[in-house]
Amino acid sequence: MFVPVKTKDGQQLMPLHAARARKLIKRSEATPYWNNGIYCIRLNKEPSDRDIQDIVVGVDPGSKKEGFTVKSEKHTYLNVQVDAHSHVSKKVAKRRELRRNRRSRKCPNRKNRMNRLANKERIPAGTRARWDWKLRILHWLSNLYPIRHVCVEDIKAPTIERAKKWNTSFSPLEVGKQWFYSEIRKRWELLTLQGWQTKEIRERLGLKKSSEKMSETFDAHCVDNWCLAYHSVGGANIPDNTDIFCIAPIPIKRRCLHREQEAKGGQRNRYGGTVLGNGLIKNTLIKHVNYGLTRLAGVNAKGLFSIYNLAGNKRLTTSAKRNSFTILTRLNFNYRSGHSSPS
């Protein structure tokens, strides 16, 4: 287990072994902190060495699950399995439906105006959310490790020869992928491999990939992104770390103004948004006196709070009082621990 290290001025250094990090903390030479479920330390003195080795992130995109591996030549620091962001297009369609329904009712609304996005280059909301989610994870990993290279498995959309408006230029997959690549090149060095090349590396190393794509094990997805990272920096033929860290997008009702179903009296209760009032924001990491580390999710009319678990979207209580929990930090996603490879 290696712990991410940051200097007093914010520079990321090479990760330290957990035993050495504990000694620094015990001698008050470092301060521990958490970054979205990852244990890190911040040095309180000037480091003896600021040299940085090559660290690469292997990225294996997918439709349901995705994989990220942070690796150097000697060690594998982190394997991340990610739930893909795939619900924004349905939310945008529902928002459009509710907006049009409001205009047909006798209630205050603005007049329909011209489409201000017409004839402008833009990425559809669903495509942008899916690829921006990957970019956000890369930025988060770069706040933990001094990453220089990103190796991505280059996926391609199947083209239809007979279709006049459906090819590699118009495919949402290709549009989002090219935007993703352009954003990577602004900060890191980009390397891409085809799927058959990843398979050749995996078979040459004698690694096996599980057929259970939805399982939370190293063999399900992370084995491919480990091979991508291995191709970039080399190292041992066998992964020295097969533990995985699972994260998922937090379900946020950003595009809802009110409940779809009317309450008694024909009133539509307000619903959605992220601000709870009194300086509190949804999806904040809190420490509850009974439930421990949990996530703040909402507040009702009586001033009682709803809290959810960190591993998923399970509600723990809807009657938490403000003096029963302590505010810690804002969360960017749900996280949970996965399982090592059975081999």
Side-chain angles (χ1 to χ4, degrees):
M1 175 80 181
F2 286 84
V3 179
V5 182
K6 183 166 66 174
T7 61
K8 292 189 296 184
D9 55 359
Q11 180 185 356
Q12 301 298 332
L13 300 178
M14 295 300 295
L16 295 178
H17 194 274
R20 186 179 177 189
R22 286 193 297 267
K23 292 181 180 179
L24 292 176
I25 296 173
K26 188 176 181 180
R27 296 197 297 259
S28 300
E29 297 179 356
T31 302
Y33 69 97
W34 291 87
N35 189 333
N36 288 291
I38 302 298
Y39 187 78
C40 313
I41 63 171
R42 183 185 299 105
L43 296 180
N44 298 328
K45 64 174 185 178
E46 181 65 22
S48 59
D49 190 3
R50 288 180 179 255
D51 292 340
I52 297 174
Q53 304 172 14
D54 285 340
I55 294 182
V56 65
V57 178
V59 182
D60 180 23
S63 60
K64 300 295 182 182
K65 299 284 187 177
E66 301 172 321
F68 295 77
T69 291
V70 182
K71 185 184 183 306
S72 67
E73 182 179 0
K74 295 183 179 180
H75 301 288
T76 301
Y77 298 119
L78 185 64
N79 299 304
V80 183
Q81 181 170 301
V82 183
D83 293 349
H85 215 306
S86 58
H87 303 292
V88 172
S89 59
K90 295 180 180 179
K91 292 181 179 180
V92 172
K94 193 65 178 181
R95 180 184 63 175
R96 180 171 61 248
E97 177 185 342
L98 295 176
R99 182 176 65 247
R100 291 174 177 176
N101 290 339
R102 287 198 303 273
R103 288 174 179 160
S104 65
R105 298 196 303 266
K106 292 183 179 180
C107 61
N109 60 78
R110 64 171 176 80
K111 294 182 179 180
N112 191 11
R113 56 193 177 197
M114 294 179 59
N115 185 7
R116 294 167 294 175
L117 300 177
N119 301 322
K120 292 185 179 180
E121 294 184 3
R122 66 185 184 93
I123 302 177
T127 303
R128 175 65 178 265
R130 178 179 288 272
W131 292 95
D132 185 63
W133 171 235
K134 302 177 182 60
L135 190 65
R136 285 166 52 195
I137 294 173
L138 287 177
H139 284 294
W140 168 64
L141 293 175
S142 292
N143 291 332
L144 299 175
Y145 307 96
I147 297 170
R148 294 181 178 177
H149 311 279
V150 177
C151 185
V152 186
E153 184 174 275
D154 189 43
I155 55 178
K156 295 185 177 180
T159 58
I160 304 175
E161 296 180 357
R162 296 181 181 178
K164 296 181 180 180
K165 295 184 178 180
W166 184 264
N167 53 32
T168 56
S169 300
F170 291 90
S171 166
L173 180 62
E174 291 292 330
V175 171
K177 183 183 70 174
Q178 295 303 326
W179 175 85
F180 180 58
Y181 290 169
S182 64
E183 293 296 320
I184 289 178
R185 293 188 182 98
K186 294 179 181 179
R187 183 171 179 180
W188 307 281
E189 297 182 13
L190 174 65
L191 176 63
T192 60
L193 291 180
Q194 303 297 323
W196 60 269
Q197 293 176 304
T198 307
K199 181 180 178 181
E200 283 188 351
I201 298 172
R202 186 177 66 246
E203 293 179 347
R204 175 164 50 87
L205 298 177
L207 302 176
K208 295 182 180 180
K209 187 175 182 179
S210 174
S211 59
E212 299 179 1
K213 300 298 183 181
M214 302 302 292
S215 63
E216 295 181 352
T217 60
F218 178 83
D219 295 336
H221 287 276
C222 290
V223 62
D224 276 351
N225 36 270
W226 187 91
C227 291
L228 293 170
Y230 168 82
H231 175 78
S232 301
V233 295
N237 297 341
I238 301 176
D240 60 326
N241 179 16
T242 58
D243 294 334
I244 67 172
F245 186 74
C246 300
I247 65 177
I250 297 177
I252 302 176
K253 302 293 184 180
R254 294 184 186 275
R255 296 172 175 85
C256 291
L257 296 177
H258 50 70
R259 297 279 186 181
E260 298 176 20
Q261 298 295 329
E262 295 180 355
K264 292 183 179 180
Q267 289 292 113
R268 294 176 182 266
N269 298 329
R270 290 186 60 85
Y271 181 67
T274 57
V275 179
L276 301 179
N278 298 326
L280 299 179
I281 301 176
K282 284 185 180 180
N283 307 314
T284 299
L285 182 66
I286 63 175
K287 187 174 182 179
H288 194 267
V289 292
N290 296 329
Y291 300 102
L293 293 178
T294 57
R295 174 169 60 91
L296 192 63
V299 62
N300 58 21
K302 298 180 180 180
L304 301 178
F305 295 88
S306 300
I307 59 177
Y308 284 62
N309 66 338
L310 296 178
N313 201 31
K314 180 181 179 181
R315 185 169 57 194
L316 300 177
T317 183
T318 59
S319 57
K321 297 182 179 179
R322 178 60 186 89
N323 57 5
S324 64
F325 60 85
T326 305
I327 300 295
L328 297 181
T329 184
R330 182 77 181 273
L331 288 175
N332 296 325
F333 41 74
N334 289 332
Y335 58 84
R336 60 192 180 275
S337 299
H339 304 284
S340 301
S341 171
S343 58

